[in-house]
Amino acid sequence: MDRVPILKLGDILIISIQIDLDDQSVLALQEDLADAVVTHGARGVIIDITAVEIVDSFIGRMLSTIAATSRLLDAQTVVVGMRPAVAITLVELGLSLGGVRTALNLEKGIALLDHVRGATP
Amino acid sequence: MTVDADVARRRIEELLRENEAQILHRWTLIAKASGEELTEIYRALLSSLEHGSSDLADLRGLLAELSRARARQGFTPADTSRAVFGLKEALYEVVEGDGGPDAMRGFIWFSRLIDDLGLFTFESYTTARERIILDQAEQLLELSTPVVKLWEGIVAVPLVGTLDSARTQVVMEKLLQTLVDTGAEHAVIDITGVPAVDTQVAQHLLKAVVAARLMGAECVISGIRPQIAHTIVTLGIEFGDIVTKASLADALAYALRRSGIEVIAPRATRIAVRTENV
Amino acid sequence: MTADWELPIAGNADVVMVRQRVRSVAVEVGLSLIDQTKVVTAASELARNALVYAGGGLAKIEVVQNGARQGLRITFSDEGPGIPDIEQALTDGWTTGSGLGLGLSGSRRLVDEFDLISAPGKGTTVTVTKWAR
């Protein structure tokens, strides 16, 4: 099973998905991340999916679950780098990724986290 | 192949070779094509007959070229294949003059060969036409899909003309790709130049707005004409929380405000100038 | 180009295999990037369905021709419990498992042709086709 590395930058955790994840790895990532948020006391999570070629309902659900779990643990989640083809497919599939914030790229994702935290200290 | 058939076939080959000038002349008149072109095809036919009829690659190549040229010049496919069928008529006169049973039997064989070649011409013609239509459709799509930068971080697609499903899709894909390439977080889809919107097109526009949102960008639709607004309501299409503005200028002002840029009209300056004059 | 591929679906890794094979065939038949993404996503949903609801199955990928157009057809077959109410199974949000209920209904919207044959106790066969534009 492949494990996705979780990077720490200040109080932000960054996950960059670079491989075609099987469902088991997706579930593992969800758990690893929740643990990491608590261990590091992270206030923000950025999931970079620039390299992800498809997001099906399973991965879509992972994104929503991570966002909801992190919120309970007092961390905001931003998904960055979604490809146009992936976005169009998600819309067609009927998946709205409710509760997930998105940004065009990593830089804008970090800026968005700063902005969100500035608004709700 | 029986001995008889082989003899008949050879007789036709002989006739074709002996009466080349006469047959070609007749054929040119019937086919209404250039003599050079037909001579080339005629020679290719003769040489492939020499090597046995299975080797028709050269001949087919020439015929395909003829069909392509004619498709581009606007000939009908019937004209094009009739040009090939004309060779039968041209040869028949020679066969009639010969009158022998071998020549007659051979003519039936030859006739079948020409029919095949004629149909091949027809097919090549159609393929060539389809190619032309496809190319034009693609060119039209490219022509009609500009994505322009209005401001740092704000792009716009001014849509002009009738929108069909395919075109809307292409424009939307291009818009989303531009968001990625430029990092623009605001996009304006302006439909001032669009005379009508049907359910499908409206759906594509909506999907593009939702897709842009999933990617982390915000889309505004501007320039909805009163009739189109009416259609949208009548069709029962839900625009939900999608921002719409009356004009491109309003949409730009909105996008600027959203990106934290304030535009102030330089009124104060003008007053200052006037005071100096007094 | 008439070669078919048959891939067994017995575990999570096989779903990934199906996705990758479908993508490479989709590229080969000339699907646009968007259409590639759509058909791979649909394949992922349907392969997972076969795994989750029937414990496994088979995915057959073939290149199909319709006049000048080329397309990609995938057939997912399993010998699971089957679907008692197909109408209901194709409704958004309906699920008997732990998913979002978008697998069947969602993948139907991602392809050009969608064919579902199923009966209780007889397994399920889903055939989807995507044509190059």
Side-chain angles (χ1 to χ4, degrees):
Chain A
M1 193 175 67
D2 300 302
R3 284 206 178 246
V4 180
I6 300 172
L7 309 176
K8 186 173 166 295
L9 181 76
D11 58 357
I12 298 176
L13 297 179
I14 300 174
I15 307 137
S16 183
I17 302 175
Q18 302 285 343
I19 46 160
D20 198 345
L21 288 177
D22 70 45
D23 293 0
Q24 208 56 46
S25 311
V26 168
L27 294 175
L29 174 60
Q30 249 167 249
E31 284 167 25
D32 290 354
L33 189 62
D35 288 345
V37 169
V38 174
T39 315
H40 300 292
R43 303 297 303 276
V45 174
I46 290 183
I47 306 171
D48 175 26
I49 57 168
T50 311
V52 174
E53 290 181 332
I54 70 144
V55 171
D56 60 11
S57 63
F58 200 82
I59 297 174
R61 189 167 53 145
M62 169 193 80
L63 297 175
S64 292
T65 307
I66 287 178
T69 315
S70 306
R71 203 175 305 125
L72 282 176
L73 301 170
D74 199 22
Q76 298 291 332
T77 305
V78 181
V79 172
V80 303
M82 187 185 292
R83 298 180 177 195
V86 170
I88 291 173
T89 304
L90 278 179
V91 174
E92 210 78 56
L93 195 61
L95 218 61
S96 57
L97 297 190
V100 181
R101 285 173 204 276
T102 53
L104 286 171
N105 52 44
L106 186 58
E107 203 181 342
K108 288 182 193 293
I110 292 174
L112 179 62
L113 273 183
D114 286 344
H115 179 75
V116 170
R117 283 186 299 176
T120 53
Chain B
M1 195 176 280
T2 61
V3 181
D4 265 8
D6 211 22
V7 171
R9 207 185 121 169
R10 218 164 297 136
R11 180 72 199 131
I12 290 292
E13 276 177 51
E14 276 165 28
L15 286 175
L16 281 170
R17 216 176 303 278
E18 283 161 15
N19 305 288
E20 181 174 328
Q22 186 198 340
I23 296 174
L24 262 174
H25 176 69
R26 248 331 259 158
W27 192 22
T28 317
L29 286 181
I30 300 166
K32 297 189 196 91
S34 84
E36 283 164 46
E37 232 172 5
L38 294 184
T39 310
E40 208 179 338
I41 293 172
Y42 195 82
R43 296 264 158 78
L45 175 65
L46 277 179
S47 85
S48 52
L49 286 180
E50 246 169 62
H51 299 108
S53 64
S54 57
D55 179 34
L56 290 176
D58 280 0
L59 186 57
R60 280 173 188 264
L62 284 172
L63 285 173
E65 209 170 284
L66 175 82
S67 317
R68 267 197 295 276
R70 294 199 146 208
R72 236 170 251 122
Q73 287 157 12
F75 281 87
T76 68
D79 278 344
T80 308
S81 31
R82 204 173 290 138
V84 176
F85 292 137
L87 182 55
K88 270 200 276 188
E89 203 181 319
L91 177 71
Y92 184 70
E93 283 164 22
V94 177
V95 170
E96 214 176 23
D98 179 89
D102 283 344
M104 286 313 225
R105 213 176 298 129
F107 184 69
I108 291 171
W109 162 81
F110 184 74
S111 190
R112 214 171 284 147
L113 176 74
I114 293 296
D115 285 349
D116 278 349
L117 292 174
L119 288 177
F120 171 77
T121 318
F122 197 93
E123 252 169 44
S124 323
Y125 177 94
T126 324
T127 319
R129 259 294 164 88
E130 265 166 23
R131 189 70 247 158
I132 293 171
I133 293 169
L134 245 129
D135 283 351
Q136 286 173 342
E138 260 166 40
Q139 283 166 2
L140 211 63
L141 275 179
E142 274 166 27
L143 262 183
S144 55
T145 56
V147 179
V148 293
K149 180 176 165 184
L150 288 183
W151 204 274
E152 195 56 50
I154 305 173
V155 294
V157 228
L159 294 175
V160 177
T162 310
L163 286 180
D164 62 7
S165 193
R167 193 181 152 211
T168 316
Q169 243 169 313
V170 169
V171 178
M172 295 308 132
E173 285 171 25
K174 198 168 169 190
L175 171 65
L176 297 181
Q177 191 54 49
T178 310
L179 296 178
V180 176
D181 296 343
T182 62
E185 284 178 309
H186 296 274
V188 182
I189 303 172
D190 184 70
I191 58 170
T192 311
V194 177
V197 166
D198 63 13
T199 321
Q200 256 199 330
V201 170
Q203 292 295 358
H204 282 306
L205 288 176
L206 290 183
K207 279 177 192 166
V209 175
V210 179
R213 204 177 277 170
L214 278 176
M215 291 167 57
E218 202 182 1
C219 253
V220 182
I221 298 179
S222 73
I224 303 179
R225 294 148 167 249
Q227 308 98 287
I228 292 182
H230 186 74
T231 320
I232 289 172
V233 174
T234 315
L235 290 173
I237 301 163
E238 273 297 334
F239 263 56
D241 53 350
I242 289 164
V243 179
T244 52
K245 293 284 166 196
S247 70
L248 182 57
D250 291 343
L252 176 61
Y254 173 82
L256 284 171
R257 214 164 41 240
R258 294 283 295 179
S259 19
I261 299 165
E262 240 179 293
V263 185
I264 301 160
R267 223 171 258 144
T269 329
R270 237 181 280 149
I271 293 166
V273 174
R274 236 181 257 156
T275 335
E276 267 173 53
N277 285 346
V278 169
Chain C
M1 288 280 284
T2 47
D4 294 352
W5 295 269
E6 279 197 16
L7 302 170
I9 306 167
N12 285 317
D14 296 330
V15 177
V16 177
M17 278 300 295
V18 169
R19 282 206 290 258
Q20 286 166 355
R21 174 62 70 190
V22 168
R23 178 169 294 272
S24 69
V25 179
V27 171
E28 210 176 298
V29 299
L31 255 57
S32 72
L33 180 63
I34 306 264
D35 286 342
Q36 285 169 32
T37 310
K38 285 182 179 173
V39 77
V40 174
T41 308
S44 179
E45 298 291 344
L46 296 171
R48 181 179 299 109
N49 270 357
L51 184 64
V52 171
Y53 295 103
L58 193 71
K60 190 174 144 202
I61 309 165
E62 52 194 327
V63 176
V64 285
Q65 199 92 31
N66 177 11
R69 285 207 303 176
Q70 266 203 331
L72 163 68
R73 176 168 294 154
I74 323 165
T75 309
F76 296 89
S77 50
D78 66 55
E79 284 160 11
I83 303 170
D85 188 342
I86 291 176
E87 193 97 347
Q88 196 174 39
L90 283 170
T91 315
D92 268 355
W94 169 262
T95 177
T96 55
S98 53
L100 292 169
L102 288 171
L104 275 182
S105 55
S107 39
R108 174 151 76 160
R109 284 191 293 268
L110 295 176
V111 294
D112 296 322
E113 288 162 33
F114 183 96
D115 191 35
L116 175 70
I117 303 166
S118 183
K122 296 246 170 70
T124 304
T125 301
V126 185
T127 308
V128 294
T129 312
K130 190 91 188 164
W131 296 104
R133 257 192 257 161

